[in-house]
Structures are given as structure tokens and as C-alpha cells.
Amino acid sequence: MNKVLTPVGEVFTRLLGPSAEVSITAYDGSRSGPEDAPVAIEVRSPLALTYLMSSPGDLGLARAYVAGALEVKGDLYTALHALAAQVDQLTTADRVWLLRKLGSTHLRRVAPPAEELPSRLRRTVQGLRHSKARDSSAIANHYDVSNRFYELVLGPSMAYTCAVFPKAEASLEEAQANKFDLVCRKLGLKPGMRLLDVGCGWGGMAEHAAEHYGVTVLGVTLSREQASWAQKDIVAKGLADRAEVRHSDYRDVTETGFDAISSIGLTEHIGARNLGSYFGFLAKRLKPGGRLLNHCITNPDTSVAHHSRGFIDRYVFPDGELEAVGEIVTAMHDSGLEVRHSENLREHYASTLAGWCANLDEHWDEAVAEAGAGRSRVWALYMAACRLAFERREIELHQVLGVKVEPGGEAHLPLRPDWGV
């Protein structure tokens, strides 16, 4: 006798509870949740359930969404916010019950969406983790999607790192300009100085420092697409005599004697084991009295694993690693840099991501035409999920300022910070 399976909508009612502010409709005609819920989820095919049951955690949900087997009607962030508490509370007993109600056929292996990268183990064909070859491949996978796609998501600033909002109602562009200016002030930049900007992206920091502070800047990025876009923009803005963006691994920079170094959003790609050599390398490029500003996403404490997993590792930042701010500070100190200031900008990154999500939503059709539906869904999901993670303090964002003191101990810093907000 064939087993009569439970309607999909009823299953979700049991899992999410009657108070969930999400409406769910399924391919079998069943539904769950209040009809007037602010967000509606469509389970479009059995493939969605197969992904969810065969891949526990966020990877299964991501596969279902990226493949289009699960659709969200309404704001994706609102949906994740509404579901976060319920999903976090799922127990082994819940999963066993789910299997009984929906059937074991959903445990079969199915191919993941085309946008998914191989597992960390299978990526060893590209070299050891954080070797130059493998880092180059990882960066190209994420950043060489399409410059036009990033223009649509990031806006005119082309800044792909946490902005600093001078006030809550500031625009994303104002906040990104304020971030670059804050970094320049913390570094104490003055006309005639030399700045090295590692992991420079599309050149926003290099251009701001050259234009507004009169410094000479060398920016380096592993993304060929970023370097090409940035160098053209530098020429177009008449800054080619003061700024250069080079397609290069930071480890291949031979110049020394810089007055300052900015590292904005690069440490996440370095690897915890390499922090010492990373800061040691940069310290050797500074002249005595020079400052280094490290700006990166961090773990909330040292108990959290360094390696990214699941959705983020397979779809967004392959081989990405995060450390707690204490580990960053220790590595900087051990490399000979004296840490003089640290600032947590966690809430600012949540607001930054909200701006990027709004940009992608506004330009959705053009983004899909440029990068494909699957890739656009990856970015929409990861940015909404990261916004929620920053709000819930699952991750943080720290700026840490260090100085390479003179042999006699002089740091050439004011007695109190003079860079303002």
C-alpha cells in the first residue's frame, strides 16, 4: 500500500509554528501561514524539498532559492528575518518528523545549481588554500562577474566594503565617501605622502586619497576586471599622475617606504594562518612612523570557526576566513605594528547591505540580463542574509589602526584621536 504523504503546507505549519509571519504556497496546492503575511514563499517543485532535506543548513535553502525551485514574493530580508528564529530552533526530532511526512525520496542526490563551486576539498586541484594560484581563482570567481553588474548593485561609488554613515539618514554614496575620508584621516594623510592600498577593488580609496589628500597611491587587486575598470576611471578623472591600480597579488609588491597602507576588505581572503606573514609583509613596506589601517569583517569571538562554510563558501567567498578582532590585533602587534585604535562598525555594515539590496532590487531585470538569474539570486540571498547576520551580531566589522614606531619609540600620533567621527 502506498503511503499517503502530508501536504507540504501542513508540514511548514508544524515546522514554523502558527505565529510565523510568512505565507507559504506549495506545488501540491496546499498552503500555510496567514494570507495577509508581509512575505509569501512559493515552494514551486519537489526539488525545493529535496535540496532542503538532502543538504542541511543554509546550503539546502540556498540551492532551492538559486535554482528557482523556491521563490520569495516580497522583501527577501524580511523573509529571512521572519524565518530566522524558527529555523535556528529546528531539532533532530523535527528533521526526522519531516522525513517521515514527506518521504525518503527527497533524500536522493541531485545536482546543485550551476553557480555552485566544488567543495573545499575538491578545490585543491587549484592549489593549496591561499596559494597565489588558488587565491587568484577565488577572487576571479567572485569579483570578475561583471563590472556592469557591480555598478548596478554598488552604485556610483563602486565601493564594495562597509560604509560609515555620518547620520542615519545619509545616503549610501555619502556614507561610502565618508568611509574613505575616515580612513584617510586615521592614516594622517598629507600632500606628498605615498599610500599603498592593498585589495583596492575598483579604486575608490585610491581616487579619494589622491584627489582630496594630494597623496601618491598604488592600489593592487587580484581581480583583472577591477583593475581594468579602476585604471580607466582614474584616467577619466585626471588622477593618473597620482594614482595607479595594478592587477597584482599584494605579495608581489616590491616597493617600500610607504607613509601609509590601507587594507579595506582584504583580510577576509588571507587566511588565519597567514595573518602573521600578511601584516609582517605590510609592515616591511612602511617607513618608520607609517600607519596601517586594517578594515575587515570579524567573528564576534574566538570560539567561532575561521573557515566559511555552506552557502558562503560554495557560492560567495570560496576559501574565505574570518578572525575575531583580538586575533587581528595580536597578529598586527606580533608583526611589529603598535595598535593604537580599534572601532566596531557592525551596524554600519547592516545599513550598507540594506543599500546594496535596494539597488539590486531596483535594477533586478538589468542585473539578470547582465549576470543571469542564478547569479543575481546568489547576490540577493547573500546580501540579505549578511545584513541579518550583522544585526544579530553573528559577525562584526572592525577598523584597526596600527603604527610602525620609530626605533626610539616615537609613534608620531596625537595624544588623542584627531580624525573625528
Side-chain angles (χ1 to χ4, degrees):
M1 177 181 293
N2 293 330
K3 180 180 179 180
V4 178
L5 300 178
T6 303
V8 173
E10 185 178 328
V11 169
F12 277 94
T13 299
R14 155 69 187 269
L15 292 178
L16 301 181
S19 62
E21 293 297 313
V22 179
S23 171
I24 295 176
T25 58
Y27 57 86
D28 63 356
S30 61
R31 64 176 311 281
S32 170
E35 294 185 10
D36 60 347
V39 174
I41 295 177
E42 295 180 3
V43 184
R44 290 183 163 181
S45 78
L47 180 62
L49 298 175
T50 300
Y51 278 139
L52 288 169
M53 293 178 65
S54 62
S55 305
D58 63 357
L59 186 57
L61 175 64
R63 286 172 170 170
Y65 179 72
V66 173
L70 186 150
E71 184 62 273
V72 175
K73 298 295 185 180
D75 183 58
L76 186 56
Y77 162 79
T78 303
L80 293 176
H81 192 278
L83 294 173
Q86 286 84 355
V87 172
D88 286 349
Q89 294 169 7
L90 290 184
T91 65
T92 300
D94 290 326
R95 298 186 188 280
V96 171
W97 180 86
L98 190 66
L99 179 62
R100 287 206 317 269
K101 293 300 182 181
L102 294 179
S104 60
T105 58
H106 291 297
L107 289 178
R108 72 186 190 280
R109 286 183 173 274
V110 291
E115 291 76 14
E116 183 170 318
L117 293 173
S119 67
R120 189 183 297 268
L121 179 61
R122 292 184 178 182
R123 291 200 294 269
T124 55
V125 297
Q126 300 166 342
L128 296 176
R129 189 169 66 250
H130 300 303
S131 64
K132 288 184 179 180
R134 185 156 158 178
D135 278 352
S136 179
S137 176
I139 293 299
N141 177 78
H142 186 86
Y143 295 98
D144 291 351
V145 173
S146 157
N147 283 331
R148 178 55 186 159
F149 177 80
Y150 278 108
E151 289 173 354
L152 297 170
V153 174
L154 304 180
S157 70
M158 287 297 280
Y160 196 26
T161 50
C162 176
V164 179
F165 289 77
K167 50 188 178 181
E169 60 271 23
S171 70
L172 178 59
E173 291 305 305
E174 290 171 336
Q176 290 292 12
N178 186 54
K179 181 265 303 292
F180 289 137
D181 207 67
L182 177 62
V183 172
C184 289
R185 297 196 306 271
K186 285 184 176 181
L187 289 173
L189 297 184
K190 294 179 175 59
M193 285 185 170
R194 295 173 63 228
L195 169 69
L196 172 63
D197 184 30
V198 291
C200 66
W202 287 271
M205 174 64 192
E207 291 181 344
H208 188 94
E211 180 178 358
H212 297 285
Y213 286 82
V215 300
T216 301
V217 190
L218 170 61
V220 294
T221 173
L222 264 179
S223 167
R224 189 179 300 276
E225 290 295 315
Q226 285 182 336
S228 175
W229 191 98
Q231 196 57 39
K232 290 178 182 177
D233 198 56
I234 285 171
V235 172
K237 291 179 178 177
L239 298 171
D241 61 327
R242 283 169 281 165
E244 173 195 356
V245 167
R246 186 182 298 169
H247 176 229
S248 170
D249 191 297
Y250 79 91
R251 289 165 285 196
D252 293 329
V253 173
T254 58
E255 293 90 337
T256 60
F258 289 97
D259 297 280
I261 297 176
S262 51
S263 172
I264 306 176
L266 178 57
T267 316
E268 298 91 333
H269 302 289
I270 297 300
R273 292 183 178 180
N274 300 322
L275 283 181
S277 60
Y278 173 67
F279 287 117
F281 180 90
L282 296 182
K284 291 177 181 177
R285 263 98 202 122
L286 279 174
K287 64 171 55 174
R291 303 183 197 179
L292 181 147
L293 189 287
N294 192 76
H295 168 124
C296 71
I297 302 171
T298 54
N299 282 330
D301 58 65
T302 56
S303 69
V304 180
H306 293 138
H307 300 329
S308 60
R309 291 180 170 83
F311 167 61
I312 292 294
D313 184 60
R314 294 290 191 95
Y315 285 88
V316 187
F317 292 112
D319 294 336
E321 296 184 39
L322 302 181
E323 301 81 29
V325 64
E327 295 174 282
I328 299 289
V329 169
T330 297
M332 290 177 68
H333 266 303
D334 290 349
S335 71
L337 296 167
E338 183 182 32
V339 172
R340 300 299 296 257
H341 188 269
S342 176
E343 182 176 9
N344 189 346
L345 298 169
R346 175 171 64 87
E347 293 86 355
H348 292 261
Y349 216 156
S351 297
T352 303
L353 285 154
W356 292 341
C357 288
N359 285 343
L360 179 56
D361 185 61
E362 180 182 355
H363 301 289
W364 181 259
D365 290 341
E366 190 175 352
V368 170
E370 182 67 28
R375 182 65 63 183
S376 299
R377 284 172 172 265
V378 167
W379 257 247
L381 180 59
Y382 117 73
M383 292 192 300
C386 284
R387 176 187 173 186
L388 186 60
F390 278 107
E391 290 177 346
R392 297 175 73 185
R393 198 183 166 246
E394 294 170 0
I395 45 179
E396 301 175 346
L397 187 288
H398 279 87
Q399 285 189 352
V400 181
L401 179 67
V403 60
K404 182 177 181 178
V405 299
E406 298 273 7
E410 300 87 353
H412 302 292
L413 284 166
L415 290 177
R416 298 298 300 156
D418 62 352
W419 44 79
V421 295

